[in-house]
Amino acid sequence: MIKIRAVIEHITYQNSENGYSILKGKVKDHNDLVTLVGTMLEVPVGSVLLCEGDWKIDRKYGKQFIVQSFEEVMPATVYGIEKYLGSGLVKGIGPKFAQLIVRQFGTDTIEVIETDIERLYEVPGIGKKRVEKIRESWEKQKDIKNVMLFLQGYGVSTAYAAKIYRCYGKESIDKVNENPYRLADDIWGIGFKTADGIANKMGYEKNDLRRCKSGLTYTLSQLSDEGHVYAEQEQLLKSAMELLEADQDPIVQAMKEMVETEQLIMDGDVIYLPPFYYAEIGTANNLKGLMNCMGKKAAPIQPNMEAITLQTGIEYDEVQVAAIRQAVNSKVMVLTGGPGTGKTTTTQGIIAALKTMGYSILLAAPTGRAAKRMSEATGMEAKTIHRLLEYNPADGYKRNDENPLEGDVLIVDECSMIDILLMNNLVKALPETMHLILVGDIDQLPSVGAGNVLRDIIDSERVPVVRLTRIFRQAQTSRIVMSAHAINQGKFPDTTNGKETDFFFIPKEEPEAVAEEIVNLVKNRLPKAYRQKTSNIQVLTPMQRGILGAANLNISLQTALNPNQTALNRGGYSFREGDRVMQLRNNYDKDVFNGDLGYVEKVDLEERTLQVNFEGRLVEYDVSELDELTLAYATTIHKSQGSEYPIVVMPVLMTHYVMLQRNLIYTGITRAKKICVLIGTKKALSFAIRNMTVLKRNTKLKERLNPALAEPNVTAKQTKEYHISEFSGYGMVAEDNADYGKKG
């Protein structure tokens, strides 16, 4: 084994899931930067690593140092100290002041800051305010260092140490010692596998009950990320055993104890994390409460369609009239339909009818963009659901069952995006006298979060549903609209290109050629042809990984579109001023949510922060929080839900066949307002159109709304392998394929 000391200069690649990294570092006696390869979790630029490993010659990439183990050490050279201080770990010292300080004190710099910080006044340009900032930050860093040194032995990086310290403060070491698995629950970005790696090095056995409990929670969380509200008992046990590689008995014991302490909820033969169970129960009960209370309505109302037409300037067909009539006579109603079928104009008619009745109306949508579009279409204020419910991080949802919303009718758009947790908080805040109208396209992808709320409500047969199917004449001129409907009906769309069309298909077979053409389209061809800014062009892709995955396309597009070098680095990404970025999680403290798009407006290299402009609102991120952001020149189709873009470019190749599904392609195409360009093979598009395979989501909302639809009680099939005598209940309820073409 060989030992080398490297000052990290550049991050080529980092996998945030498993820590696999490719780093470039300056090593003594080497003229060129040395490539370091190995598991080095979130090592930041400027770090000094003492690495053990061996040299290897890679045929493609040349000489590399394969890191077997490493520790982060304080820099000892002038160069290393400057890099370290200039990395921004210490607030108040950026690259500029790092250079000035090191020029003044040389290799004594660390000692000066540590023991005689007042000497910093000797450095030109450093005043009292900056010295105090450095002092405060250095003291904090010492605490973080202690945490870091403790965690370093367990393979935890500087960046994660900072997050742990931010959460637990001076209790960090005690908390981790007590139960390392709590990191997976408490700190975003640290998953079960990272926590498990720490626990393993701390001597935790595979069958440790704390480990089994954390594994069960993690398994259920993973399933919820895939859209499931619950897991079947056998499914959970099997998945947990695969994850943990542990024996069955301790996992069963852990499950039993967690059910007894209500860390898990068992309902028949299925198991929930408590938030999802109570959300499903609450949503069903509140919706039934709404439907059972008729409010102001005494007898069926016939809306004056002539007056409504006069008010809106829109002629309504018989289905739209039926929808308006249904809306004024229902406590809860669903309006669904594809693009060009008149959902917006019908909603305008519903609003006009309700206004003539003297009703006060609230409008809402799941995302800021969707709410903005709703406002533009109706001429009324529409809010995000979070803002409607007056959410703040300290107090949660201010509007709830004890402080309900005020108004007669709530109309919610883009309801296919609403997951079970958000739906529960929404219906909880509705007084029983309120009417609820849900609008959305049921053929789009379901919500990113757990549940299948809109589809379950339709399938429950408890709520009137009107589906708009007629494509209006104006919309028929759009090949985007006609192609989307053709795909939805299982037909291959018209792919003949021409100057007058808004829907194009460019045949390309090789992924590399497709990626190259995407960059060319976004940078040159489309802005020139349609006089559009590149910011109006969105690349949507089925996958996150691979040559045509969002991650790779983002790097290619960033290189082509944004040469700005003022940037902060994290997790293999470089975030530059001017970059288009997307939020990856709900952060209630910052009031930004999963899928929100913004632009990096300012990068502060000294403070190691950047400001992102979200629809005119500036939000600050520390460098340790940048794993909440990703570049968004390209994004997955799943992440594009609820958004519209003037121009959409979308690769369709067999290389990502596992994701080629009809509702995915349909959702992608319907995001385009003016121009949609598909690039790939007709074979792949045809495959996607034929593929109706949709992951069945474990949800019971339909049955809770209408118990008559529940499967009869049956003796659960229990094999010897999974038999748990203490538990009994019902068989798994699978989601049915429903016909959504019925008019309510």
Side-chain angles (χ1 to χ4, degrees), residues 392-620:
N392 70 70
D395 309 313
Y397 294 96
K398 194 174 172 184
R399 295 288 183 173
N400 50 36
D401 47 355
E402 294 177 2
N403 181 29
L405 292 166
E406 293 156 18
D408 300 311
V409 183
L410 172 63
I411 303 175
V412 188
D413 200 7
E414 294 285 1
C415 288
S416 61
M417 296 180 68
I418 301 177
D419 62 36
I420 193 68
L421 296 178
L422 185 57
M423 190 66 180
N424 180 46
N425 283 300
L426 179 64
V427 294
K428 193 191 292 184
L430 306 187
E432 285 194 333
T433 53
M434 189 172 270
H435 296 243
L436 176 63
I437 298 167
L438 302 170
V439 183
D441 184 349
I442 195 60
D443 296 314
Q444 284 189 33
L445 290 165
S447 59
V448 174
N452 212 346
V453 173
L454 185 60
R455 183 172 288 192
D456 278 351
I457 290 171
I458 292 172
D459 283 359
S460 74
E461 300 171 8
R462 286 290 308 273
V463 176
V465 180
V466 178
R467 177 157 187 164
L468 305 174
T469 54
R470 178 189 162 202
I471 304 169
F472 283 85
R473 193 180 304 150
Q474 188 181 352
Q476 288 178 17
T477 63
S478 166
R479 280 257 304 276
I480 292 173
V481 170
M482 300 311 290
S483 298
H485 283 278
I487 286 167
N488 206 30
Q489 292 160 19
K491 299 171 185 171
F492 197 87
D494 182 356
T495 55
T496 55
N497 298 329
K499 282 189 177 179
E500 302 306 312
T501 187
D502 58 359
F503 181 83
F504 298 87
F505 189 92
I506 300 175
K508 295 270 183 195
E509 291 197 5
E510 295 302 319
E512 291 84 358
V514 173
E516 194 176 315
E517 183 62 20
I518 287 172
V519 173
N520 184 32
L521 280 164
V522 176
K523 187 179 179 181
N524 303 312
R525 292 180 64 185
L526 290 169
K528 187 178 174 182
Y530 298 102
R531 295 180 182 175
Q532 291 277 349
K533 297 182 292 186
T534 57
S535 58
N536 286 339
I537 305 169
Q538 183 64 51
V539 177
L540 300 180
T541 177
M543 303 286 282
Q544 182 61 33
R545 294 191 175 91
I547 293 169
L548 293 172
N552 187 57
L553 288 173
N554 267 318
I555 292 169
S556 300
L557 288 161
Q558 183 193 48
T559 304
L561 300 174
N562 187 8
N564 197 327
Q565 293 303 305
T566 307
L568 286 178
N569 299 310
R570 179 76 199 274
Y573 279 124
S574 172
F575 294 96
R576 305 172 181 175
E577 284 186 2
D579 276 338
R580 186 191 310 170
V581 293
M582 179 183 281
Q583 177 73 11
L584 292 174
R585 64 175 285 239
N586 290 343
N587 187 324
Y588 299 105
D589 293 311
K590 295 185 188 295
D591 197 26
V592 286
F593 301 96
N594 188 0
D596 282 0
L597 278 174
Y599 289 87
V600 178
E601 191 155 297
K602 185 184 176 186
V603 173
D604 190 326
L605 293 175
E606 271 192 23
E607 296 294 320
R608 300 285 284 171
T609 61
L610 56 78
Q611 288 186 331
V612 179
N613 189 328
F614 291 103
E615 305 269 341
R617 197 170 60 84
L618 289 180
V619 179
E620 187 172 275

Side-chain angles (χ1 to χ4, degrees), residues 700-731:
K700 288 193 175 193
L701 181 61
K702 176 179 74 173
E703 292 83 2
R704 295 192 193 282
L705 287 168
N706 188 354
L709 298 175
E711 290 184 0
N713 289 3
V714 294
T715 305
K717 293 178 182 177
Q718 293 176 323
T719 67
K720 287 182 181 178
E721 188 181 357
Y722 299 113
H723 181 75
I724 305 173
S725 59
E726 294 91 348
F727 300 151
S728 63
Y730 307 100

Side-chain angles (χ1 to χ4, degrees), residues 24-214:
K24 298 275 190 183
K26 192 172 176 65
V27 177
K28 191 180 176 184
D29 299 329
H30 289 261
N31 294 329
D32 298 327
L33 294 179
V34 169
T35 301
L36 291 91
V37 179
T39 302
M40 294 168 281
L41 286 169
E42 296 284 337
V43 170
V45 170
S47 301
V48 182
L49 304 185
L50 193 61
C51 304
E52 277 195 279
D54 289 297
W55 294 101
K56 174 192 169 187
I57 306 295
D58 186 276
R59 275 187 193 175
K60 189 173 179 181
Y61 299 108
K63 194 174 182 182
Q64 299 176 330
F65 190 82
I66 309 302
V67 179
Q68 300 296 331
S69 64
F70 76 97
E71 62 174 314
E72 195 168 341
V73 295
M74 292 298 272
T77 65
V78 167
Y79 177 85
I81 293 167
E82 188 180 319
K83 271 286 175 190
Y84 176 78
L85 292 177
S87 70
L89 287 169
V90 182
K91 300 282 180 168
I93 307 180
K96 177 185 152 190
F97 279 105
Q99 192 179 38
L100 290 169
I101 293 169
V102 173
R103 193 183 295 164
Q104 184 77 26
F105 302 114
T107 54
D108 295 331
T109 298
I110 301 293
E111 181 71 17
V112 167
I113 297 173
E114 179 71 47
T115 61
D116 195 6
I117 200 166
E118 302 289 324
R119 287 192 64 194
L120 289 182
Y121 290 123
E122 297 171 22
V123 180
I126 291 187
K128 188 175 177 183
K129 202 171 174 181
R130 187 171 297 277
V131 169
E132 285 309 307
K133 186 184 277 189
I134 294 169
R135 189 199 307 271
E136 186 184 330
S137 181
W138 187 258
E139 287 303 312
K140 196 174 179 182
Q141 279 302 316
K142 276 200 319 191
D143 288 335
I144 294 174
K145 272 292 178 200
N146 289 335
V147 174
M148 189 184 77
L149 289 168
F150 164 74
L151 293 172
Q152 220 168 50
Y154 304 122
V156 181
S157 69
T158 311
Y160 279 146
K163 280 195 166 193
I164 294 166
Y165 182 81
R166 192 180 294 129
C167 180
Y168 300 139
K170 292 188 177 183
E171 294 180 343
S172 298
I173 293 173
D174 291 340
K175 296 272 190 190
V176 175
N177 269 326
E178 185 187 320
N179 182 5
Y181 291 102
R182 67 188 304 156
L183 295 172
D185 300 327
D186 296 345
I187 297 163
W188 193 83
I190 296 184
F192 171 80
K193 290 178 182 176
T194 302
D196 196 41
I198 298 168
N200 182 47
K201 289 180 180 175
M202 291 174 74
Y204 279 66
E205 300 291 332
K206 283 192 172 183
N207 289 333
D208 189 293
L209 277 181
R210 290 167 295 183
R211 181 172 185 264
C212 293
K213 288 176 181 180
S214 183

